[in-house]
Each structure stands twice: as structure tokens, then as C-alpha cells.
Amino acid sequence: MDQVPLKGPIRDEELHVIEEGAVLIEFGLILEVGVFEAMAKKYTGEADIIKFSEELICLPGFIDSHTHICYSGTRARDFGLRNGGSSYLEIAENGGGIWDTVTQTRLANEHVLTQNVVSRANRHLSEGVTTIEVKSGYGLSVAEELKMLRSIQSADGLSYADLVSTCLAAHIKPKDFFGDNAGYLNHLVRELFPVIKQEKLTNRIDAFVEQGAFSAEEVRPYFDLAKAEGFALTVHADQFHASGSALAVEMGAVSADHLEASTDREIEILAKSHTVATALPGASIGLGCDFTPARKLLDAGACLAIASDWNPGSAPMGDLIMQASALATFQKLTNAEVLSAITNRAARALQLDDRGVLSKGMKADFVLYQTGHYNEILYHQGKLTPSEVWKDGKQVFKKD
């Protein structure tokens, strides 16, 4: 993935494929990538050589740039109600939705939440995902948001996967906060931001810009203050109504995520910006709504990432490859576009310049598939799983 562009469409012919390839690793980093026979001769006596006899495809470790895997409880009831005809907003108004998960997550202690994150991160790792963004947002009070962020930080030390935390305290205004939306956001700035900075719990701030959550006008001053404190921004944008992506671009957000309701206007704005457009097909599958207009975004020149949105409500599956394959089918994406969206372009969505490609100086994070061609990976829509996963130059998973 070292020669594909970071913006716009990609033809499969643009992929740089090395036949009979080899990767040289030292201290968790890639020193060289090339042809096996030449490299074996070059480094005879200097390097330990692991040679595989079976056909394998080696790809950079996958990066899931948007998840909510720090939570407790289930929302199976919501799933049944949605399939019975109730809308997302109707369910939320009747005690389900995000607040249901908030209630269950508040009941869990930090240790339980940490173990929940580790379990889900390790499952993701076995499916080739070596870097995982994890949001708070189910605490919705200063104490509970800190509990979540500390749990994510603890889990990062207990899983081989790298976890990147994001503060989503601006998910919705909690029912037990006695004030308006602006008052709640100001409360977070005053009481939550200083502790996050002091404990170095995250450098990323997110907000849900949507009807029933926060308007762009309410979030703008919140983001202004977050930027002044040195936080990077990301936005839950255009999920049901087109309102958040323009704000994301205006504020210089790293990414605008969801975008199912984006129109040609939003597509053009995103394509002309440095903001990564992140599609979340898991939410489209879980809610039965339209997919992000990924084809139009790419053709307009946008940088497209694909993430799982793994969460207990709208995207409980959490299977990144299956979801990316489904998006490719409905949006007519090339294999190269999908693979880029979960490797080098996803790395950009997290401002990580040390992974997402197999080249010198990068983290030695890679996935091995026992197959003869990379086309097989998406063709099997998640059923072809990695035979091995390597993280920081070490084998951390091997299929039985």
C-alpha cells in the first residue's frame, strides 16, 4: 500500500504487489521490503529467516478508525424494535438508544469495562485489525467519562492491539444534567478537559452533530475551545441529516464520520478539504439505512476511510472486513480502494504516520492470509480470516 494515493479513486492495477516477497524486521520496525531470494542472500548470517512454504498474502495490519467498544450491556431489544418498524429516534425517545447503554455502562466498574474492551480488541486483532480507535461517550458525566477513558488506557496495555482513545462526552446531553446543551458542553470544557490533559487520557475530541444530539451551532464554540487546548477534532456527521460534515471541514477536523445523509454539496466540501471521509457500513447494515456515498466521495477526490463503528446499538457486529466488503458491493469500490480505506487512509484518519503501509521505518504490523491472491480476501466477505497476525514485529495470533 506504499504507492497508492491518499485521496481520490484507486484502480487495482495501481497496487504495488511483490511476488515471493520478504519483510525484514528489527525492534518492531520494518527495515526493508523486497524479493525473498535477494534479501535472503543479502542478510545471510545477519538475520533469522522464517520461510513459509504455503501461498500467503501479506498486507499491512488493518486500522479501524471508529469504534465504541468500551461499553457494558446489550441493545438487543433495540434491534428487535427497529426490525419491527420503530425508528432510531423513536427508540431513543422511549428509553432505548444511547441512554440505555449509558445506564448499563455506568453500572459497570472500571475493571469490568477494561476487560470488555480487551475482549473485543482481541477479537478484532484475530481478524487482522492491529490498531483500533475507541471512543468514550457512554458515561456522559465527568466521573463516568473519565472511568471510560481510563478503562481504554488500561486495556491498551493489556491487548497486543494499539488502542487510540477519543473523548465523545458530547454524544448526547445526559438526562440527568440540569441545563441546556450549551451548558453541558461548557461543563465538559471546564471540568473534563483539564483532567483529560493532566492524565494524558486522549488528544482527540468528538461530537455527535445531529437532531436529538447537538447542532453545529452548539458544537462550534465547544470545538473552538477544544482546539485552543490542543485537541484534534473528529465529528459524527451527516448520519441522518446533512449538518456535521461542513462543520468538520470548517473546524479542520481530522475526519467526518458516518456521512450516510451527505448530499453532493457535502461531498464537494469534503473532497476539497484535508478532512478524511469515514464510511461506517456497519451502522447502515444495523439500521437498514443508506450507505455512505463512497463512490461519489472517491470520484470527487476525497480521502475515504472505512471503519466498523462497532457499538452495542446500531453496529453490534464489529466485523470490519465483512462490512467493507458489503460497502464495496453496494458502492462499487475496487479492492484497492477498500484495502486502502482500512490501511493507509485509515491511518490518516487517526493522524498516524507510522503504519498502514509496508515500507522502511513503518511499524511491523501485518496480516497473513493463506490464499494465492488478495482478491480472495474481500470476495469471501469476512469468511476468509487471517492465518497469522503480527504486531510490532511479533506474531500475536495464529489460526489453529
Side-chain angles (χ1 to χ4, degrees), residues 19-64:
E19 302 286 350
E20 303 293 334
V23 182
L24 182 68
I25 302 164
E26 186 176 48
F27 301 124
L29 299 177
I30 297 173
L31 293 186
E32 189 174 338
V33 178
V35 177
F36 179 83
E37 291 300 332
M39 287 178 60
K41 290 178 181 178
K42 182 178 179 180
Y43 294 103
T44 297
E46 298 181 46
D48 296 324
I49 297 175
I50 303 172
K51 188 172 183 178
F52 298 95
S53 57
E54 66 269 29
E55 285 190 311
L56 293 172
I57 298 295
C58 179
L59 287 164
F62 302 139
I63 298 169
D64 192 344

Side-chain angles (χ1 to χ4, degrees), residues 209-238:
V209 179
E210 186 54 72
Q211 291 183 13
F214 300 96
S215 69
E217 290 71 25
E218 290 166 336
V219 169
R220 187 176 287 106
Y222 176 69
F223 274 172
D224 278 331
L225 293 168
K227 285 180 69 174
E229 292 293 330
F231 292 109
L233 307 179
T234 182
V235 187
H236 278 60
D238 301 358

